[in-house]
Amino acid sequence: MNAVEIRNLSKNYSKKKAVCGLNMTVPMGAIYGFIGENGSGKSTTEKIICGLIPKNGGRILLYGRDYKNHAVRAKVGVLIESPGCFPSLSVWDNLMLEAENLSIKDPKREVMRVLRLVRMEGAAGNKYKNCSLGMKQRVGIAMALLGDPTLLVLDEPLNGLDADGMRIMREVFCDIVKDGTRSIIVSSHLLGELQKVATHYGIIRHGKMIAEMTADELDANCRNFVSIKAERMDVAEALLARRYSRVERDEADYIRVYDALSAEAVVIYLYENGIPVTEVKTQKINLEEYYIDLMKEGRD
């Protein structure tokens, strides 16, 4: 059984189509990286899944049942944009208030459970307004975890975090899904960070899902390339462009050759044409580069 199955989802705002015919599958136990440009329909889709806005058409199943089913709705935890906390209350009091709102039987025990899960037990007494951005994001996730939901929907939870905050958030995500009973849908523009934790991906453009894949499938799709520096770089680039179909200069001023059979073949070809190579390495494109290439293909 999948945590989420969406078929032909549509949502219109007046004459604008925000989501059109979207299909999406989130397996049990997945960290599902939901990727797309601003205005692509990510947040709209997440809000529909959570029941925050109505859909115009299509079908949504959560754990095999209609997403409006009350028993299913109780399994969903949500962090859209930012947590609704009272700035002058402590982290503990904010979470206790939310636990009371959810009619949780043993609120103190539940609040301690979620604080431990998000590495915030030592900051329970801090006023929310004095928390760092990373701590506030973790408080929001803790709030979403109250009641032990099996599906978390998180909209841009990595924004504004420093390196340590990113590391902690990655650990939190992995802890949440490690027993295979919980799933996370997480949207983010920080694709390098997302690639470190996501097990599945969905890429959306203009309200349509243009690709879904596992992390292993992404790895297979991300091509190797030869990256070189040579004497007379402009001449070397022009020579390589005659032989290979895709050659480009990257930000670090390396020449990338994407369809070479081997680094050795590139070096020999340049050497035979009087261009000594000073540096060579074989690399692989990452999620961000794969995503950019996919977006370019869509525009073309």
Side-chain angles (χ1 to χ4, degrees):
M1 180 187 298
N2 292 312
V4 180
E5 289 185 23
I6 298 176
R7 297 294 176 264
N8 298 315
L9 181 66
S10 64
K11 175 63 181 178
N12 303 329
Y13 292 108
S14 186
K15 295 182 180 181
K16 181 183 177 182
K17 293 183 178 181
V19 179
C20 29
L22 182 135
N23 296 315
M24 180 177 180
T25 303
V26 181
M28 288 279 289
I31 299 176
Y32 186 97
F34 197 25
I35 305 167
E37 299 168 311
N38 290 331
S40 62
K42 297 191 306 297
S43 294
T44 297
T45 300
E46 290 176 323
K47 289 175 182 177
I48 293 171
I49 293 171
C50 299
L52 299 176
I53 58 175
K55 60 183 174 64
N56 291 118
R59 187 183 187 197
I60 302 175
L61 298 179
L62 304 181
Y63 305 101
R65 303 169 75 178
D66 186 81
Y67 79 118
K68 291 184 179 179
N69 181 283
H70 291 300
V72 168
R73 293 245 59 82
K75 295 182 177 182
V76 182
V78 184
L79 175 58
I80 302 291
E81 295 175 357
S82 60
C85 292
F86 293 95
S88 295
L89 292 183
S90 68
V91 170
W92 176 268
D93 288 341
N94 270 295
L95 290 170
M96 283 293 293
L97 185 60
E98 181 65 12
E100 295 287 353
N101 287 338
L102 294 172
S103 301
I104 291 173
K105 291 183 180 179
D106 190 347
K108 289 183 179 179
R109 182 176 180 179
E110 178 65 0
V111 168
M112 277 306 303
R113 182 187 73 84
V114 298
L115 283 172
R116 282 194 296 270
L117 194 55
V118 300
R119 321 290 198 274
M120 286 283 290
E121 62 267 44
N126 293 8
K127 285 188 176 181
Y128 179 77
K129 66 181 179 182
N130 295 331
C131 291
S132 67
L133 179 57
M135 292 170 71
K136 287 178 178 176
Q137 293 287 63
R138 280 186 278 156
V139 172
I141 292 175
M143 197 168 281
L145 285 166
L146 288 169
D148 200 20
T150 53
L151 174 65
L152 280 183
V153 181
L154 309 176
D155 186 29
E156 299 289 351
L158 302 176
N159 278 3
L161 302 186
D162 59 18
D164 195 51
M166 296 280 191
R167 177 189 57 79
I168 293 172
M169 199 67 78
R170 292 195 303 268
E171 292 175 357
V172 169
F173 290 164
C174 292
D175 280 353
I176 289 170
V177 303
K178 68 182 178 182
D179 65 357
T181 63
R182 298 186 186 91
S183 305
I184 303 174
I185 299 174
V186 52
S187 66
S188 180
H189 290 102
L190 302 174
L191 303 188
E193 290 299 321
L194 200 57
Q195 191 172 7
K196 295 174 183 177
V197 292
T199 62
H200 295 73
Y201 299 94
I203 302 176
I204 184 173
R205 186 169 187 264
H206 298 329
K208 297 180 180 180
M209 188 71 74
I210 61 172
E212 275 193 309
M213 67 196 78
T214 66
D216 287 341
E217 288 169 340
L218 171 69
D219 188 62
N221 287 334
C222 288
R223 293 174 295 166
N224 290 325
F225 62 89
V226 176
S227 184
I228 71 161
K229 282 197 173 183
E231 295 180 6
R232 299 157 62 200
M233 287 284 282
D234 291 340
V235 177
E237 185 176 6
L239 278 168
L240 291 167
R242 293 179 197 168
R243 181 162 184 168
Y244 299 102
S245 61
R246 185 179 173 190
V247 175
E248 60 187 42
R249 197 84 67 95
D250 66 17
E251 294 177 355
D253 202 36
Y254 283 84
I255 300 172
R256 290 186 176 188
V257 184
Y258 284 90
D259 52 352
L261 293 176
S262 68
E264 183 182 13
V266 174
V267 172
I268 291 173
Y269 174 69
L270 288 176
Y271 180 77
E272 289 175 344
N273 284 273
I275 306 292
V277 172
T278 58
E279 189 175 344
V280 60
K281 52 189 174 181
T282 301
Q283 295 177 286
K284 194 167 196 172
I285 65 172
N286 57 28
L287 172 61
E288 183 172 2
E289 292 169 307
Y290 177 80
Y291 168 76
I292 291 170
D293 282 350
L294 205 59
M295 292 297 105
K296 286 179 180 177
E297 288 174 13
R299 292 188 185 97
D300 294 342

